[in-house]
Amino acid sequence: MGATTPAPTEVVTAGWELIRTGELWTHLAASGRRVAIGLAVGIAVGAVLGAAAGLFKVAEDLVNAPVQVLRMMPAVALVPVFIIWFGIGDEFKIALIIVAPIFPIYLNVVAGIRGVDQKLIEAAESLELTRFELIRYVVLPGALPQIFVGLRQALGIGWLVLVVAEMQTTPVGLGFLMNDAKEYLRTDQIFLVLVIYAILGLLTDIAVRLLERRYLSWRNGFEGR
């Protein structure tokens, strides 16, 4: 007989038990550290590559083709390769998380920069702004809406890849918690981990939306009715 879907009260009880023993915080801290390092490095790399390709034609010619080739490789397909390269420790998991957010950030940074109105560029040049001032006061603000879209996509992908990474020989982390629950048919614990992943993803998305409200307050666009 297959396992049944647990009642919400069973999921809450399982969560409370893990909180009481302190086990949940240990796994959450391990997962949080991995995803924080991976996303920070991956987003930084994607932003630098995207800015270079967006601002300089030569950089786009050099960077775009390799990035597009790598983008076609799903994260799951990279798992065995990364295990061979980095072993089964945290290095493999963090490396996998680093790769995933590079592409949405890269694509959106390039699109944001190239989407800045040419008339604004010409007006800035007529005011004899330096290249730094042009980027600081015209290009970056104009590209920010698209960059934030990329940031939201990158954070979501980061959490998804964390799930994949932690399902591979992990001694500690939310993925280990889920694997352990699967072995013992603890569906309440499995659903608990799924809820935790969903909450963490939602919190990061809310954080980006708050940043959007602060730094895109100047934007005068349709906000829904």
Side-chain angles (χ1 to χ4, degrees):
M1 183 181 293
T4 59
T5 301
T9 53
E10 293 178 302
V11 176
V12 171
T13 301
W16 172 249
E17 181 62 23
L18 289 172
I19 292 173
R20 188 183 62 80
T21 61
E23 187 179 353
L24 180 61
W25 306 123
T26 301
H27 295 301
L28 195 58
S31 295
R33 184 179 64 84
R34 290 170 187 142
V35 80
I37 296 172
L39 284 174
V41 176
I43 288 171
V45 171
V48 170
L49 293 177
L55 293 171
F56 306 102
K57 183 64 177 173
V58 174
E60 182 185 18
D61 293 337
L62 293 173
V63 169
N64 191 62
V67 169
Q68 296 300 337
V69 169
L70 291 173
R71 187 170 70 90
M72 295 298 104
M73 298 182 185
V76 177
L78 295 175
V79 169
V81 178
F82 276 30
I83 289 178
I84 294 172
W85 286 351
F86 302 105
I88 60 174
D90 273 8
E91 293 81 4
F92 141 68
K93 299 171 184 65
I94 292 172
L96 198 64
I97 297 169
I98 286 174
V99 171
I102 291 176
F103 310 116
I105 286 291
Y106 170 82
L107 292 173
N108 282 280
V109 169
V110 172
I113 292 174
R114 295 298 173 84
V116 176
D117 194 335
Q118 182 62 31
K119 293 180 180 178
L120 294 176
I121 302 296
E122 293 172 356
E125 290 175 343
S126 69
L127 295 173
E128 298 183 351
L129 295 182
T130 65
R131 186 166 184 83
F132 175 79
E133 290 172 333
L134 176 66
I135 294 171
R136 168 68 179 81
Y137 296 110
V138 180
V139 176
L140 182 58
L144 266 183
Q146 192 71 39
I147 292 174
F148 275 120
V149 171
L151 183 59
R152 293 177 71 178
Q153 292 174 345
L155 292 174
I157 290 173
W159 286 112
L160 291 176
V161 174
L162 174 69
V163 177
V164 175
E166 289 194 331
M167 296 294 281
Q168 313 296 323
T169 61
T170 303
V172 63
L174 294 175
F176 167 80
L177 202 59
M178 180 174 284
N179 266 338
D180 190 60
K182 181 180 68 176
E183 291 295 325
Y184 293 98
L185 297 178
R186 290 288 307 276
T187 55
D188 54 346
Q189 200 163 290
I190 292 174
F191 274 79
L192 172 67
V193 176
L194 291 175
V195 170
I196 292 172
Y197 276 130
I199 291 173
L200 291 173
L202 178 61
L203 289 176
T204 52
D205 188 71
I206 290 173
V208 175
R209 297 191 69 174
L210 291 175
L211 289 174
E212 284 182 332
R213 289 184 182 181
R214 177 172 180 179
Y215 292 104
L216 298 181
S217 58
W218 51 267
R219 186 174 56 175
N220 185 25
F222 179 68
E223 297 183 353
R225 289 286 186 268

